Amino acid sequence: MIHIVLFEPEIPGNTGNIMRTCAAFHMKLHLIEPLGFHLDEKHLKRAGMDYRENVDYVKHINWDSFFQEHGNQGLFYYVTRYGKHTPDSFMYPKDQEIYLVFGKESTGIPKPILANHEDFCMRIPMVEKARSLNLSNCVALCAYEVNRQWGYSGLSHTEVIKGANFLDQFKD
């Protein structure tokens, strides 16, 4: 399973978008407190849409509590501008729990955490003058890479809701 870990997220719209991505990719979401918003319908409805009801998420009171519970349960990868590897440079074994850790929008993941896991820090390549991408975009990019390596296991390759041949009705 893929786990998305948000360290103290600050913007409800980003978290709502990430909830939608987690629901669509069947990933578990871990929210490390404190959060910069309330997890209520008003703050998340627009971004999370109706996917919020289908996302598996849990809140943790802080990083230490989260890491004590999950730190030895899988492989951890940290997405940061300071990473020296790209997301596609890692091989994500299917028989392991994969944890993709993302920092808060304003300051990222605390530097001591990064320094102690430097071999597992990744940077999404971008132009030199760009500091970062939107958090929800970063989650989608990294989650997609893991799913790509796993052959999109458990994910639909065809349209199911409207039917695989939905576009046939629009042919001339």
Side-chain angles (χ1 to χ4, degrees):
M1 172 170 256
I2 302 168
H3 299 260
I4 301 299
V5 181
L6 300 183
F7 180 88
E8 301 179 6
E10 299 167 313
I11 301 172
N14 283 337
T15 300
N17 286 333
I18 292 164
M19 288 177 140
R20 185 175 182 174
T21 300
C22 286
F25 282 148
H26 191 64
M27 302 180 297
K28 184 163 187 164
L29 177 61
H30 300 268
L31 300 171
I32 310 300
E33 294 183 313
L35 308 181
F37 52 88
H38 296 284
L39 280 175
D40 58 20
E41 187 159 330
K42 176 184 172 193
H43 288 91
L44 298 173
K45 184 175 183 180
R46 185 169 188 267
M49 296 176 54
D50 57 343
Y51 292 89
R52 287 183 309 113
E53 293 138 13
N54 299 320
V55 68
D56 181 10
Y57 76 92
V58 62
K59 290 190 304 182
H60 302 273
I61 60 169
N62 57 39
W63 173 260
D64 292 336
S65 171
F66 163 76
F67 202 75
Q68 185 175 13
E69 182 179 344
H70 296 275
N72 61 357
Q73 293 184 4
L75 298 174
F76 281 71
Y77 302 90
Y78 303 84
V79 182
T80 172
R81 65 192 280 193
Y82 305 109
K84 295 177 182 163
H85 308 282
T86 58
D88 63 331
S89 68
F90 291 101
M91 297 300 297
Y92 306 98
K94 281 178 108 172
D95 62 346
Q96 294 274 336
E97 299 285 312
I98 301 298
Y99 290 83
L100 300 173
V101 182
F102 300 84
K104 65 167 85 177
E105 289 90 340
S106 63
T107 58
I109 301 167
K111 307 317 178 265
I113 293 173
L114 297 175
N116 288 318
H117 300 95
E118 195 170 357
D119 289 344
F120 292 91
C121 289
M122 66 175 84
R123 175 184 170 84
I124 297 171
M126 61 189 90
V127 298
E128 291 176 5
K129 298 201 185 252
R131 192 175 66 250
S132 64
L133 295 170
N134 175 275
L135 178 61
S136 63
N137 292 338
C138 294
V139 169
L141 286 166
C142 293
Y144 190 84
E145 176 58 25
V146 177
N147 277 294
R148 183 193 69 79
Q149 286 188 23
W150 289 3
Y152 311 104
S153 178
L155 302 177
S156 177
H157 291 247
T158 61
E159 167 59 35
V160 175
I161 296 169
K162 292 191 175 189
N165 299 318
F166 174 74
L167 292 178
D168 288 351
Q169 65 185 311
F170 300 101
K171 290 182 180 175
D172 293 332

